Amino acid sequence: MIFLDQRENIANTCKIKIFDLEENRLFIRTCSLRIIQNLKGMSQNSCGNSLYLCGSNNNSSSCFLIHFNLESTDIKTEVLVNAIYPHYKPIIYIVHSDIIVVIGGKGQVLCEKYSISLKKWRDMPVLPEERYQGNIILNERNSHLYLFGGSTNGKNNDSILILNLRSVGGWEKIFIKENSQLLKRSKCVSFAFDEKEDDNIIYILGGKKSEREKCDFIVEFNYENNTINKKDLDIKDLPCFDINTVADINKNKFAFADSNDNIYVIEKKNFRITVISSEDA
């Protein structure tokens, strides 16, 4: 898993952190970032040895897309084609290692996608409402994007937005009949284990109910019957995920980085969570 420390941007340099899921080790590499001075409006996602940073500054009409290539010892920084629309703290996701999906952002309902191989942007269906600081996941079995959590006009959402990538239709807004209050969270993260017994389940983890109250439970979303349940686990001090960092996964584990760049490793069998402090690197 690769992610950028967005808390620091000193003297045009930035820290890129690499977490080895197999060895439970965190490495730090420093690179130059003279392209943009303010990282607050940016979101990020990684794929393989590449890290992508996308977003706008406040009141900016430009939306940068920056690629960090970590294949060699020297990190190569590349400015790709600017997005069509401005996006402040958008929700981003990488589909099949080639398509960067950029969803909404604060004050924005427009969405678009960037083809890494073709180096071109294309429009996507417009959101039915503003969404930012939420989380998105692709269900590869049905080619649906699921958008959980996030805020609209400063209030957390209890609905789910779904987009079928194989269809020409738009986003579908799903209201859950029971336990919908469990979805009211921002800065959350979602994941799914690709195993037979969990075929229909997506998990939503962490986040904030309000500025002062964190979500200390895991939610199970069954996408076959659109039901929500609280997972019966006693977990405290779950994090907030402000930087849109998605998991690195192997057969039995997921790893996430929180807003303070600590690493949370979650084991599938018992949902045991191990925290690795960024200060230990």
Side-chain angles (χ1 to χ4, degrees), residues 103-170:
I103 305 299
K106 192 170 184 179
Q108 181 63 284
V109 296
L110 298 173
C111 306
E112 51 192 311
K113 58 186 177 182
Y114 178 81
S115 170
I116 297 170
S117 57
L118 298 177
K119 298 183 178 180
K120 288 184 178 180
W121 287 94
R122 292 184 63 185
D123 278 316
M124 288 181 64
V126 176
L127 291 172
E129 61 195 12
E130 169 200 54
R131 285 286 178 108
Y132 68 101
Q133 292 184 330
N135 187 260
I136 202 163
I137 188 173
L138 171 67
N139 181 347
E140 296 196 9
R141 285 183 169 81
N142 60 16
S143 295
H144 284 51
L145 285 173
Y146 293 85
L147 198 165
F148 298 99
S151 299
T152 302
N153 298 324
K155 295 182 179 180
N156 289 349
N157 290 280
D158 59 0
S159 60
I160 301 169
L161 299 183
I162 303 174
L163 178 67
N164 186 348
L165 295 180
R166 293 178 180 172
S167 170
V168 294

